[in-house]
Amino acid sequence: MAKATASLSMAYRLHVASRVLAALACYGLTSLISIVLALIWPIPQAQAVLSSIMLSFAIYAVLIMWVFSVKSLRTIWLTLVVSSALFGLLAWMLLPEAGV
């Protein structure tokens, strides 16, 4: 068992750690997506919030599966950063206090 763990290179360990961090970063993106969904759905506010929160569980699961299925770390991080920036900007623009 010790030989199997010792044979893993440091680059491989960093690769896996980066994917785990990206999976954790998906939580922030999922939160931003659910905020935007709650703001744009044309249903009563309480129902929109609850619906977007329920949908966020599925979104988070899909994002985590996507993080571990894409081959390029650059693609993963670039997509997460750009998507988070876009959804963050969209959420900020849609908030009622943003116009003040």
Side-chain angles (χ1 to χ4, degrees), residues 63-83:
L63 284 175
I64 289 176
M65 288 187 284
W66 173 77
V67 161
F68 285 100
S69 68
V70 174
K71 290 185 180 185
S72 171
L73 285 175
R74 181 178 295 140
T75 302
I76 293 170
W77 282 106
L78 186 62
T79 303
L80 284 176
V81 169
V82 170
S83 299

Side-chain angles (χ1 to χ4, degrees), residues 8-75:
L8 297 176
S9 68
M10 189 60 159
Y12 177 77
R13 291 175 191 236
L14 290 174
H15 186 80
V16 172
S18 179
R19 286 185 186 269
V20 170
L21 286 175
L24 294 175
C26 286
Y27 180 78
L29 177 58
T30 304
S31 298
L32 291 170
I33 292 170
S34 65
I35 290 170
V36 169
L37 285 176
L39 289 170
I40 64 173
W41 271 348
I43 55 178
Q45 185 179 10
Q47 289 179 351
V49 170
L50 289 175
S51 299
S52 67
I53 289 173
M54 286 189 287
L55 187 58
S56 72
F57 290 107
I59 293 170
Y60 188 50
V62 168
L63 284 175
I64 289 176
M65 288 187 284
W66 173 77
V67 161
F68 285 100
S69 68
V70 174
K71 290 185 180 185
S72 171
L73 285 175
R74 181 178 295 140
T75 302

